[in-house]
């Protein structure tokens, strides 16, 4: 029995070996690729090439949205206004002016200390453009000058106190006198406008009135108060400039001077001159004003 089992096992093993020899064994082969990288070297050499004219197409910009340039529009408006101003050569302007000033009179040195009078003015004016930046102006002004001295014979003694006698020997008793008065001035000016500055020169006609009070006889008794006046119309000149502060507002500084001749005080009821002089006296004004242009550009 044992020999039979050994023989069977041996037979099984032998069959297995024969069967194994019949199967083809497949081996796995791995292939590796060897990659070699070579560096490429480029040599740059200058070439003599005659270039042809290059033609580029002109770029076209198309706006998708409309954007307003406010600054450019305002600039165009100002240029249009300036063109209109230059075209309208014969343009008229008129306005009003108010201000204040100081006045100095040489003839009052005789009876008072040398002081400047303070006054106010109000006036109207008319201007016309002659040609570019040059215009002529006609103005009329009224001045009211405050008093710098008061002489009252009932209060103080002065060189004017006493009796004065007319040609028919009627007595006149001095009462009071001050230099408060009105001035009326008519001017013709030539102006040149440079940017906002307008220098000018002109001629003027000035009319002023001073008055002195006396007691005059009535029924041979000194009871009636009467005025003796000095009315002077003088020729003079003016210099100054205006500054355009706003489009319709002008600021001005002005100097005026004129001559007074043969100052005297008269009354129509008496053929008699009081305080008569044969000298020539100068009056000078410095005025500050502000004007408003009612019409015009």
């Amino acid at each position: 029995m044992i020999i039979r089992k050994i023989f069977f096992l041996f037979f099984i093993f032998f069959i297995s070996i024969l069967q194994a020899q019949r199967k083809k064994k497949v081996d796995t082969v791995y292939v590796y690729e060897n990659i070699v990288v070579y560096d490429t070297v480029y040599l740059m050499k200058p070439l003599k090439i005659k270039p042809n004219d290059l033609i580029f197409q002109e770029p076209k910009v198309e706006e998708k949205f409309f954007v307003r340039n406010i600054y450019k529009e305002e600039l165009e408006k100002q240029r249009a206004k300036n063109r209109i101003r230059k075209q309208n050569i014969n343009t008229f302007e008129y306005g009003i002016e108010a201000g204040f000033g100081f006045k100095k009179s040489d003839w009052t040195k005789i009876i008072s200390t040398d002081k400047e009078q303070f006054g106010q003015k109000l006036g109207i004016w008319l201007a016309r453009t002659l040609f570019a930046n040059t215009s002529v102006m006609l103005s009329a002004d009224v001045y009211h000058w405050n008093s710098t001295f008061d002489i009252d014979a009932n209060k103080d003694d002065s060189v004017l106190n006493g009796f004065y006698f007319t040609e028919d020997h009627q007595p006149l008793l001095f009462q009071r006198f001050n230099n408060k008065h009105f001035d009326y001035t008519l001017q013709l000016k030539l102006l040149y406008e440079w940017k906002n500055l307008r220098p000018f020169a002109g001629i003027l006609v000035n009319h002023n009135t001073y008055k002195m009070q006396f007691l005059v006889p009535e029924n041979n008794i000194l009871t009636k108060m009467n005025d003796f006046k000095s009315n002077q119309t003088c020729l003079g000149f003016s210099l100054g400039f205006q500054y355009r502060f706003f489009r319709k507002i002008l600021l001005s500084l002005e100097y005026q001077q004129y001559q007074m001749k043969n100052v005297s005080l008269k009354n129509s009821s008496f053929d008699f001159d009081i305080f008569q002089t044969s000298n020539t006296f100068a009056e000078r004004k410095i005025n500050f004003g502000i004007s408003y242009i009612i019409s015009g550009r």
Side-chain angles (χ1 to χ4, degrees):
M1 288 297 292
I2 296 173
I3 295 174
R4 186 185 290 177
K5 291 182 181 179
I6 293 172
F7 178 76
F8 180 75
L9 289 175
F10 181 78
F11 178 76
I12 294 296
F13 179 73
F14 180 75
I15 295 298
S16 298
I17 291 174
L18 291 177
Q19 188 68 26
Q21 292 295 329
R22 290 179 181 178
K23 292 183 180 180
K24 294 183 179 180
K25 185 178 182 182
V26 181
D27 294 332
T28 302
V29 179
Y30 296 91
V31 180
Y32 297 92
E33 182 179 1
N34 186 16
I35 301 175
V36 179
V37 179
Y38 298 95
D39 292 332
T40 303
V41 178
Y42 297 93
L43 296 179
M44 302 297 292
K45 294 183 180 181
L47 299 177
K48 294 183 180 180
I49 300 176
K50 184 178 180 181
N52 296 326
D53 294 336
L54 300 179
I55 301 175
F56 296 96
Q57 186 178 1
E58 185 178 354
K60 296 182 180 180
V61 180
E62 296 182 359
E63 294 185 1
K64 294 184 179 180
F65 301 98
F66 177 72
V67 181
R68 292 184 59 188
N69 191 333
I70 300 178
Y71 174 78
K72 186 176 180 180
E73 290 178 3
E74 186 64 25
L75 188 61
E76 290 297 330
K77 289 181 181 179
Q78 293 298 328
R79 289 176 178 173
K81 290 180 180 179
N82 292 334
R83 286 194 295 268
I84 293 173
R85 287 175 58 183
K86 292 179 179 179
Q87 292 173 359
N88 296 336
I89 295 178
N90 297 326
T91 300
F92 279 97
E93 290 182 342
Y94 61 89
I96 58 175
E97 183 175 12
F100 64 93
F102 299 91
K103 178 179 179 180
K104 187 176 182 180
S105 300
D106 288 345
W107 75 272
T108 57
K109 294 179 181 179
I110 301 173
I111 55 178
S112 70
T113 59
D114 188 17
K115 295 181 179 180
E116 293 80 14
Q117 290 179 265
F118 177 78
Q120 307 84 29
K121 79 166 185 175
L122 185 65
I124 58 175
W125 55 267
L126 174 68
R128 179 178 180 178
T129 303
L130 296 178
F131 45 88
N133 299 330
T134 304
S135 59
V136 63
M137 176 183 290
L138 180 65
S139 63
D141 302 297
V142 178
Y143 295 84
H144 176 260
W145 300 101
N146 300 325
S147 177
T148 57
F149 66 88
D150 292 282
I151 299 175
D152 191 341
N154 298 316
K155 296 181 181 180
D156 301 311
D157 291 331
S158 70
V159 295
L160 297 178
N161 285 12
F163 286 92
Y164 294 76
F165 295 90
T166 65
E167 291 183 354
D168 57 356
H169 303 290
Q170 295 186 67
L172 305 175
L173 182 62
F174 171 76
Q175 292 296 295
R176 58 182 62 91
F177 175 63
N178 60 49
N179 61 344
K180 180 173 65 175
H181 65 285
F182 283 94
D183 273 352
Y184 306 92
T185 304
L186 185 67
Q187 287 193 78
L188 184 64
K189 304 175 185 177
L190 185 66
L191 300 96
Y192 178 79
E193 185 167 353
W194 179 70
K195 295 184 179 180
N196 290 328
L197 196 63
R198 306 174 73 188
F200 64 83
I203 57 175
L204 61 87
V205 178
N206 189 84
H207 181 82
N208 56 30
T209 301
Y210 294 93
K211 68 180 180 179
M212 183 181 292
Q213 291 184 331
F214 281 83
L215 280 177
V216 299
E218 188 176 21
N219 298 326
N220 296 325
I221 301 175
L222 293 172
T223 57
K224 184 179 179 182
M225 189 78 73
N226 215 334
D227 293 334
F228 285 73
K229 297 180 180 181
S230 170
N231 293 295
Q232 286 274 339
T233 300
C234 314
L235 293 176
F237 68 91
S238 64
L239 298 171
F241 65 88
Q242 293 179 333
Y243 178 76
R244 190 179 293 275
F245 190 67
F246 290 111
R247 187 173 63 89
K248 285 183 170 287
I249 296 180
L250 302 170
L251 303 179
S252 64
L253 174 63
E254 180 183 20
Y255 172 80
Q256 298 179 8
Q257 181 175 323
Y258 50 88
Q259 303 290 333
M260 297 178 62
K261 297 181 179 180
N262 302 326
V263 178
S264 63
L265 294 99
K266 299 180 180 180
N267 185 290
S268 58
S269 300
F270 299 90
D271 186 16
F272 178 63
D273 294 337
I274 296 176
F275 196 62
Q276 183 175 6
T277 66
S278 58
N279 296 326
T280 299
F281 303 97
E283 287 197 340
R284 303 174 179 87
K285 302 176 186 176
I286 296 179
N287 303 315
F288 303 88
I290 179 170
S291 296
Y292 178 76
I293 302 175
I294 298 176
S295 70
R297 59 180 184 266

